[in-house]
Amino acid sequence: MSIDIFEAFLEERCLKVTRQRRLVYEEILAMDEHFDVDSLLLRLKQNGAQISKATIYRTLQLLMECGLLRRVQLFPDGVPADAVYAACPEGCAVDNLVCTDCGQTIRFSKEDVCNLCADIAGQHGFALRSHCLNIFAICPECQDKQGDDKHATT
């Protein structure tokens, strides 16, 4: 289980496995969606946790170093308002379909994508550990709105 990986990572670095670090990671796993620090803090506090934002940031950094968390770029121009994260238990892939108009984001996982990434890495002598793929497109709702806007102006 990925919590065991995190605890082993902490112990290797002579860091304590604290209740707060465990709570942060367990809440991230329970969310099963992209999140920012403020939404994570809110959920933890709603569940009765007494935790600071600084502790969350430090725990997120440790989780990223351990490979169990990724900072996700959900904006095609590369300038997000706030950092967005996604859990990667046991080195799984982070694949996203992002609407460039409304920001709707769908996480997905396809074995074909994983195999293609492994093939590309192998062709260049790399050993794939994980990957992150973002596809920027326009969702059906925004396509419909664009169609309606074109009809309204003509």
Side-chain angles (χ1 to χ4, degrees):
M1 188 172 176
S2 59
I3 193 76
D4 297 330
I5 294 170
F6 184 47
E7 290 178 1
F9 172 84
L10 293 172
E11 288 171 5
E12 286 171 9
R13 284 164 177 68
C14 299
L15 298 170
K16 292 180 182 176
V17 179
T18 64
R19 184 178 153 277
Q20 290 180 317
R21 287 176 175 156
R22 190 181 244 296
L23 278 173
V24 169
Y25 190 47
E26 287 173 352
E27 188 61 40
I28 289 168
L29 292 174
M31 291 171 77
D32 193 36
E33 61 188 16
H34 298 104
F35 66 92
D36 62 19
V37 171
D38 290 330
S39 65
L40 177 59
L41 178 62
L42 179 64
R43 283 181 59 131
L44 286 163
K45 293 209 180 246
Q46 287 173 339
N47 291 333
Q50 293 185 356
I51 194 163
S52 71
K53 197 181 257 193
T55 298
I56 291 173
Y57 275 113
R58 287 191 299 268
T59 303
L60 295 180
Q61 184 61 41
L62 290 168
L63 287 164
M64 286 190 293
E65 289 173 19
C66 183
L68 296 173
L69 185 75
R70 299 270 188 270
R71 191 170 176 171
V72 181
Q73 183 61 265
L74 296 178
F75 301 88
D77 60 6
V79 186
D82 292 313
V84 178
Y85 302 90
C88 304
E90 300 177 40
C92 74
V94 179
D95 299 325
N96 304 293
L97 181 59
V98 182
C99 178
T100 56
D101 285 3
C102 70
Q104 175 187 355
T105 304
I106 299 171
R107 283 182 76 171
F108 68 92
S109 180
K110 294 286 186 190
E111 191 172 331
D112 293 345
V113 173
C114 292
N115 292 338
L116 178 61
C117 290
D119 289 346
I120 292 169
Q123 289 170 7
H124 297 280
F126 285 70
L128 183 68
R129 292 180 57 192
S130 68
H131 74 268
C132 178
L133 172 68
N134 291 329
I135 300 172
F136 298 103
I138 300 173
C139 71
E141 293 81 13
C142 289
Q143 291 177 50
D144 289 345
K145 287 179 190 173
Q146 288 178 355
D148 291 343
D149 290 345
K150 288 179 185 174
H151 294 297
T153 58
T154 58

